[in-house]
mmCIF file of all heavy atoms in Angstrom:
data_model
loop_
_atom_site.group_PDB
_atom_site.id
_atom_site.type_symbol
_atom_site.label_atom_id
_atom_site.label_comp_id
_atom_site.label_asym_id
_atom_site.label_seq_id
_atom_site.Cartn_x
_atom_site.Cartn_y
_atom_site.Cartn_z
ATOM 1 N N GLY A 1 67.881 52.045 -46.321
ATOM 2 C CA GLY A 1 68.167 52.023 -47.684
ATOM 3 C C GLY A 1 69.315 52.950 -48.072
ATOM 4 O O GLY A 1 69.645 53.887 -47.194
ATOM 5 N N ILE A 2 69.786 52.819 -49.250
ATOM 6 C CA ILE A 2 71.027 53.573 -49.734
ATOM 7 C C ILE A 2 70.587 55.085 -49.844
ATOM 8 O O ILE A 2 71.488 55.911 -49.322
ATOM 9 C CB ILE A 2 71.461 53.057 -50.993
ATOM 10 C CG1 ILE A 2 72.039 51.686 -50.983
ATOM 11 C CG2 ILE A 2 72.512 54.049 -51.711
ATOM 12 C CD1 ILE A 2 72.380 51.073 -52.306
ATOM 13 N N GLY A 3 69.456 55.470 -50.268
ATOM 14 C CA GLY A 3 69.063 56.799 -50.364
ATOM 15 C C GLY A 3 69.027 57.503 -49.014
ATOM 16 O O GLY A 3 69.494 58.636 -48.911
ATOM 17 N N ALA A 4 68.491 56.796 -48.125
ATOM 18 C CA ALA A 4 68.381 57.309 -46.701
ATOM 19 C C ALA A 4 69.757 57.524 -46.168
ATOM 20 O O ALA A 4 70.023 58.579 -45.504
ATOM 21 C CB ALA A 4 67.557 56.311 -45.854
ATOM 22 N N GLU A 5 70.691 56.593 -46.353
ATOM 23 C CA GLU A 5 72.047 56.815 -45.807
ATOM 24 C C GLU A 5 72.755 57.957 -46.609
ATOM 25 O O GLU A 5 73.429 58.735 -45.919
ATOM 26 C CB GLU A 5 72.857 55.488 -45.993
ATOM 27 C CG GLU A 5 72.272 54.265 -45.173
ATOM 28 C CD GLU A 5 72.274 54.521 -43.713
ATOM 29 O OE1 GLU A 5 73.007 55.333 -43.210
ATOM 30 O OE2 GLU A 5 71.574 53.698 -43.070
ATOM 31 N N GLU A 6 72.432 58.104 -47.828
ATOM 32 C CA GLU A 6 73.083 59.119 -48.560
ATOM 33 C C GLU A 6 72.612 60.544 -48.107
ATOM 34 O O GLU A 6 73.434 61.504 -48.126
ATOM 35 C CB GLU A 6 72.780 59.101 -50.022
ATOM 36 C CG GLU A 6 73.550 57.804 -50.718
ATOM 37 C CD GLU A 6 73.191 57.601 -52.120
ATOM 38 O OE1 GLU A 6 72.066 58.111 -52.603
ATOM 39 O OE2 GLU A 6 73.956 57.068 -52.925
ATOM 40 N N ARG A 7 71.340 60.507 -47.650
ATOM 41 C CA ARG A 7 70.783 61.851 -47.179
ATOM 42 C C ARG A 7 71.073 62.019 -45.622
ATOM 43 O O ARG A 7 70.516 63.037 -45.033
ATOM 44 C CB ARG A 7 69.335 61.949 -47.495
ATOM 45 C CG ARG A 7 69.003 61.911 -48.962
ATOM 46 C CD ARG A 7 67.588 62.337 -49.283
ATOM 47 N NE ARG A 7 66.613 61.526 -48.661
ATOM 48 C CZ ARG A 7 66.124 60.295 -49.120
ATOM 49 N NH1 ARG A 7 66.670 59.939 -50.254
ATOM 50 N NH2 ARG A 7 65.102 59.617 -48.522
ATOM 51 N N GLY A 8 71.812 61.282 -45.030
ATOM 52 C CA GLY A 8 72.302 61.451 -43.686
ATOM 53 C C GLY A 8 71.366 60.942 -42.561
ATOM 54 O O GLY A 8 71.039 61.594 -41.651
ATOM 55 N N GLN A 9 71.033 59.555 -42.845
ATOM 56 C CA GLN A 9 70.109 59.096 -41.755
ATOM 57 C C GLN A 9 70.645 58.985 -40.410
ATOM 58 O O GLN A 9 69.917 59.368 -39.363
ATOM 59 C CB GLN A 9 69.895 57.458 -42.216
ATOM 60 C CG GLN A 9 68.902 56.754 -41.288
ATOM 61 C CD GLN A 9 67.431 57.267 -41.555
ATOM 62 O OE1 GLN A 9 67.077 58.289 -41.080
ATOM 63 N NE2 GLN A 9 66.728 56.394 -42.166
ATOM 64 N N ALA A 10 71.888 58.653 -40.156
ATOM 65 C CA ALA A 10 72.425 58.608 -38.789
ATOM 66 C C ALA A 10 72.537 59.963 -38.226
ATOM 67 O O ALA A 10 72.099 60.224 -37.037
ATOM 68 C CB ALA A 10 73.850 57.963 -38.775
ATOM 69 N N GLU A 11 72.909 60.990 -39.010
ATOM 70 C CA GLU A 11 72.918 62.383 -38.431
ATOM 71 C C GLU A 11 71.554 62.825 -38.113
ATOM 72 O O GLU A 11 71.241 63.464 -36.986
ATOM 73 C CB GLU A 11 73.559 63.201 -39.522
ATOM 74 C CG GLU A 11 73.669 64.711 -39.152
ATOM 75 C CD GLU A 11 72.544 65.567 -39.615
ATOM 76 O OE1 GLU A 11 71.727 65.134 -40.423
ATOM 77 O OE2 GLU A 11 72.555 66.817 -39.365
ATOM 78 N N ALA A 12 70.561 62.452 -38.878
ATOM 79 C CA ALA A 12 69.150 62.949 -38.705
ATOM 80 C C ALA A 12 68.624 62.248 -37.418
ATOM 81 O O ALA A 12 67.943 62.936 -36.516
ATOM 82 C CB ALA A 12 68.293 62.595 -39.899
ATOM 83 N N ILE A 13 68.965 61.007 -37.154
ATOM 84 C CA ILE A 13 68.564 60.326 -35.918
ATOM 85 C C ILE A 13 69.129 61.082 -34.686
ATOM 86 O O ILE A 13 68.589 61.275 -33.708
ATOM 87 C CB ILE A 13 68.888 58.883 -35.936
ATOM 88 C CG1 ILE A 13 67.939 58.158 -37.024
ATOM 89 C CG2 ILE A 13 68.796 58.174 -34.599
ATOM 90 C CD1 ILE A 13 68.295 56.719 -37.237
ATOM 91 N N ALA A 14 70.497 61.303 -34.764
ATOM 92 C CA ALA A 14 71.301 61.887 -33.669
ATOM 93 C C ALA A 14 70.614 63.290 -33.360
ATOM 94 O O ALA A 14 70.460 63.682 -32.179
ATOM 95 C CB ALA A 14 72.720 61.980 -34.098
ATOM 96 N N ARG A 15 70.349 64.018 -34.360
ATOM 97 C CA ARG A 15 69.811 65.443 -34.123
ATOM 98 C C ARG A 15 68.465 65.439 -33.630
ATOM 99 O O ARG A 15 68.114 66.214 -32.746
ATOM 100 C CB ARG A 15 69.838 66.197 -35.454
ATOM 101 C CG ARG A 15 71.210 66.645 -35.895
ATOM 102 C CD ARG A 15 71.223 67.724 -36.992
ATOM 103 N NE ARG A 15 72.525 68.013 -37.397
ATOM 104 C CZ ARG A 15 73.276 68.949 -36.832
ATOM 105 N NH1 ARG A 15 72.708 69.588 -35.761
ATOM 106 N NH2 ARG A 15 74.501 69.329 -37.245
ATOM 107 N N SER A 16 67.587 64.382 -34.013
ATOM 108 C CA SER A 16 66.313 64.206 -33.419
ATOM 109 C C SER A 16 66.493 63.850 -31.905
ATOM 110 O O SER A 16 65.571 64.361 -31.067
ATOM 111 C CB SER A 16 65.512 63.200 -34.140
ATOM 112 O OG SER A 16 64.172 63.093 -33.684
ATOM 113 N N THR A 17 67.348 62.982 -31.615
ATOM 114 C CA THR A 17 67.487 62.479 -30.174
ATOM 115 C C THR A 17 67.973 63.770 -29.362
ATOM 116 O O THR A 17 67.437 63.847 -28.217
ATOM 117 C CB THR A 17 68.626 61.374 -30.098
ATOM 118 O OG1 THR A 17 68.206 60.369 -30.995
ATOM 119 C CG2 THR A 17 68.780 60.931 -28.677
ATOM 120 N N ALA A 18 68.831 64.610 -29.940
ATOM 121 C CA ALA A 18 69.268 65.704 -29.258
ATOM 122 C C ALA A 18 68.188 66.750 -28.993
ATOM 123 O O ALA A 18 68.149 67.438 -27.964
ATOM 124 C CB ALA A 18 70.510 66.358 -29.977
ATOM 125 N N ALA A 19 67.356 66.878 -30.079
ATOM 126 C CA ALA A 19 66.274 67.769 -29.996
ATOM 127 C C ALA A 19 65.325 67.348 -28.816
ATOM 128 O O ALA A 19 64.765 68.220 -28.066
ATOM 129 C CB ALA A 19 65.440 67.921 -31.312
ATOM 130 N N CYS A 20 65.044 66.053 -28.675
ATOM 131 C CA CYS A 20 64.249 65.560 -27.544
ATOM 132 C C CYS A 20 64.872 65.926 -26.169
ATOM 133 O O CYS A 20 64.224 66.347 -25.210
ATOM 134 C CB CYS A 20 64.178 63.919 -27.638
ATOM 135 S SG CYS A 20 63.103 63.293 -28.941
ATOM 136 N N LEU A 21 66.147 65.737 -26.093
ATOM 137 C CA LEU A 21 66.840 66.095 -24.813
ATOM 138 C C LEU A 21 66.821 67.470 -24.461
ATOM 139 O O LEU A 21 66.877 67.967 -23.280
ATOM 140 C CB LEU A 21 68.278 65.564 -24.902
ATOM 141 C CG LEU A 21 68.534 64.068 -24.761
ATOM 142 C CD1 LEU A 21 69.861 63.740 -25.082
ATOM 143 C CD2 LEU A 21 68.150 63.498 -23.387
ATOM 144 N N ALA A 22 66.791 68.355 -25.545
ATOM 145 C CA ALA A 22 66.971 69.872 -25.318
ATOM 146 C C ALA A 22 65.621 70.503 -24.973
ATOM 147 O O ALA A 22 65.568 71.663 -24.599
ATOM 148 C CB ALA A 22 67.471 70.462 -26.702
ATOM 149 N N LEU A 23 64.521 69.733 -25.210
ATOM 150 C CA LEU A 23 63.260 70.428 -24.952
ATOM 151 C C LEU A 23 63.056 70.856 -23.576
ATOM 152 O O LEU A 23 63.340 70.260 -22.597
ATOM 153 C CB LEU A 23 62.033 69.328 -25.058
ATOM 154 C CG LEU A 23 61.778 68.913 -26.614
ATOM 155 C CD1 LEU A 23 60.726 67.706 -26.483
ATOM 156 C CD2 LEU A 23 61.056 70.126 -27.337
ATOM 157 N N LYS A 24 62.409 72.066 -23.418
ATOM 158 C CA LYS A 24 62.069 72.639 -22.121
ATOM 159 C C LYS A 24 60.645 72.531 -21.710
ATOM 160 O O LYS A 24 60.169 73.040 -20.704
ATOM 161 C CB LYS A 24 62.504 74.116 -22.021
ATOM 162 C CG LYS A 24 64.054 74.344 -22.159
ATOM 163 C CD LYS A 24 64.375 75.854 -21.979
ATOM 164 C CE LYS A 24 65.839 75.971 -22.082
ATOM 165 N NZ LYS A 24 66.264 77.533 -21.980
ATOM 166 N N VAL A 25 59.839 71.713 -22.559
ATOM 167 C CA VAL A 25 58.582 71.497 -22.220
ATOM 168 C C VAL A 25 58.413 69.975 -21.912
ATOM 169 O O VAL A 25 59.251 69.174 -22.283
ATOM 170 C CB VAL A 25 57.618 71.884 -23.433
ATOM 171 C CG1 VAL A 25 57.628 73.307 -23.674
ATOM 172 C CG2 VAL A 25 58.004 71.027 -24.605
ATOM 173 N N PRO A 26 57.421 69.578 -21.133
ATOM 174 C CA PRO A 26 57.201 68.127 -20.901
ATOM 175 C C PRO A 26 57.022 67.225 -21.998
ATOM 176 O O PRO A 26 56.359 67.743 -22.984
ATOM 177 C CB PRO A 26 55.935 68.135 -19.879
ATOM 178 C CG PRO A 26 55.870 69.565 -19.429
ATOM 179 C CD PRO A 26 56.328 70.461 -20.530
ATOM 180 N N SER A 27 57.617 66.197 -22.022
ATOM 181 C CA SER A 27 57.411 65.184 -23.118
ATOM 182 C C SER A 27 57.171 63.847 -22.542
ATOM 183 O O SER A 27 57.729 63.343 -21.648
ATOM 184 C CB SER A 27 58.722 65.218 -23.932
ATOM 185 O OG SER A 27 59.848 64.822 -23.255
ATOM 186 N N VAL A 28 56.309 63.160 -23.200
ATOM 187 C CA VAL A 28 55.857 61.890 -22.896
ATOM 188 C C VAL A 28 55.831 60.956 -24.160
ATOM 189 O O VAL A 28 55.286 61.290 -25.154
ATOM 190 C CB VAL A 28 54.428 61.738 -22.282
ATOM 191 C CG1 VAL A 28 54.020 60.254 -22.113
ATOM 192 C CG2 VAL A 28 54.456 62.591 -21.046
ATOM 193 N N ALA A 29 56.533 59.773 -24.048
ATOM 194 C CA ALA A 29 56.689 58.876 -25.204
ATOM 195 C C ALA A 29 55.957 57.631 -24.854
ATOM 196 O O ALA A 29 55.983 57.179 -23.739
ATOM 197 C CB ALA A 29 58.132 58.551 -25.501
ATOM 198 N N VAL A 30 55.178 57.062 -25.846
ATOM 199 C CA VAL A 30 54.575 55.724 -25.705
ATOM 200 C C VAL A 30 54.874 54.761 -26.753
ATOM 201 O O VAL A 30 54.796 55.068 -27.904
ATOM 202 C CB VAL A 30 52.942 55.881 -25.640
ATOM 203 C CG1 VAL A 30 52.295 54.560 -25.364
ATOM 204 C CG2 VAL A 30 52.446 57.060 -24.832
ATOM 205 N N VAL A 31 55.457 53.577 -26.327
ATOM 206 C CA VAL A 31 55.803 52.566 -27.260
ATOM 207 C C VAL A 31 54.498 51.725 -27.521
ATOM 208 O O VAL A 31 54.063 51.096 -26.622
ATOM 209 C CB VAL A 31 56.933 51.687 -26.743
ATOM 210 C CG1 VAL A 31 57.250 50.537 -27.892
ATOM 211 C CG2 VAL A 31 58.144 52.462 -26.399
ATOM 212 N N LEU A 32 53.935 51.898 -28.754
ATOM 213 C CA LEU A 32 52.591 51.342 -29.028
ATOM 214 C C LEU A 32 52.742 49.865 -29.413
ATOM 215 O O LEU A 32 51.893 48.884 -28.999
ATOM 216 C CB LEU A 32 51.937 52.042 -30.079
ATOM 217 C CG LEU A 32 51.694 53.551 -29.899
ATOM 218 C CD1 LEU A 32 51.047 54.142 -31.098
ATOM 219 C CD2 LEU A 32 50.732 53.734 -28.676
ATOM 220 N N GLY A 33 53.699 49.462 -30.222
ATOM 221 C CA GLY A 33 53.897 48.182 -30.741
ATOM 222 C C GLY A 33 55.421 47.777 -30.698
ATOM 223 O O GLY A 33 55.872 47.264 -29.769
ATOM 224 N N GLU A 34 56.101 48.080 -31.830
ATOM 225 C CA GLU A 34 57.489 47.849 -31.945
ATOM 226 C C GLU A 34 58.341 49.134 -31.657
ATOM 227 O O GLU A 34 58.000 50.148 -32.242
ATOM 228 C CB GLU A 34 57.884 47.427 -33.272
ATOM 229 C CG GLU A 34 57.501 45.928 -33.604
ATOM 230 C CD GLU A 34 58.058 45.404 -34.961
ATOM 231 O OE1 GLU A 34 57.475 45.776 -35.965
ATOM 232 O OE2 GLU A 34 59.192 44.850 -34.918
ATOM 233 N N GLY A 35 59.229 49.024 -30.814
ATOM 234 C CA GLY A 35 60.300 50.141 -30.655
ATOM 235 C C GLY A 35 61.532 49.672 -31.038
ATOM 236 O O GLY A 35 62.355 49.123 -30.335
ATOM 237 N N GLY A 36 61.917 49.924 -32.335
ATOM 238 C CA GLY A 36 63.133 49.316 -32.863
ATOM 239 C C GLY A 36 64.241 50.285 -33.064
ATOM 240 O O GLY A 36 64.162 51.349 -33.771
ATOM 241 N N SER A 37 65.363 50.092 -32.339
ATOM 242 C CA SER A 37 66.659 50.587 -32.545
ATOM 243 C C SER A 37 66.624 52.151 -32.469
ATOM 244 O O SER A 37 65.745 52.714 -31.844
ATOM 245 C CB SER A 37 67.187 50.171 -33.844
ATOM 246 O OG SER A 37 68.542 50.483 -34.032
ATOM 247 N N GLY A 38 67.578 52.821 -33.167
ATOM 248 C CA GLY A 38 67.583 54.314 -33.116
ATOM 249 C C GLY A 38 66.441 54.985 -33.775
ATOM 250 O O GLY A 38 66.090 56.058 -33.520
ATOM 251 N N GLY A 39 65.762 54.217 -34.633
ATOM 252 C CA GLY A 39 64.516 54.674 -35.264
ATOM 253 C C GLY A 39 63.527 55.061 -34.130
ATOM 254 O O GLY A 39 62.702 55.948 -34.323
ATOM 255 N N ALA A 40 63.480 54.285 -33.187
ATOM 256 C CA ALA A 40 62.599 54.606 -32.075
ATOM 257 C C ALA A 40 63.101 55.641 -31.022
ATOM 258 O O ALA A 40 62.370 56.550 -30.693
ATOM 259 C CB ALA A 40 62.349 53.250 -31.326
ATOM 260 N N ILE A 41 64.328 55.451 -30.646
ATOM 261 C CA ILE A 41 64.872 56.347 -29.639
ATOM 262 C C ILE A 41 64.994 57.726 -30.134
ATOM 263 O O ILE A 41 64.877 58.775 -29.276
ATOM 264 C CB ILE A 41 66.300 55.865 -29.126
ATOM 265 C CG1 ILE A 41 66.682 56.499 -27.720
ATOM 266 C CG2 ILE A 41 67.277 56.157 -30.199
ATOM 267 C CD1 ILE A 41 65.787 55.993 -26.667
ATOM 268 N N ALA A 42 64.933 57.940 -31.348
ATOM 269 C CA ALA A 42 65.070 59.329 -32.041
ATOM 270 C C ALA A 42 63.801 60.166 -31.643
ATOM 271 O O ALA A 42 63.966 61.429 -31.515
ATOM 272 C CB ALA A 42 65.073 59.233 -33.549
#
């Protein structure tokens, strides 16, 4: 939506993905149903 884009949706997704990569603790992701686009990879 427009509001989400105005508040920096792409930047927020990118920072969340970067935070995942920066973790020094073990992480496990499970795709339960739909894993759609950047919204999932974040």
Side-chain angles (χ1 to χ4, degrees):
I2 292 174
E5 297 297 342
E6 288 175 341
R7 295 196 301 277
Q9 183 72 288
E11 180 263 357
I13 290 172
R15 287 190 181 275
S16 183
T17 307
C20 289
L21 286 168
L23 285 171
K24 292 184 179 180
V25 294
S27 59
V28 175
V30 185
V31 182
L32 303 177
E34 285 187 279
S37 193
I41 199 68

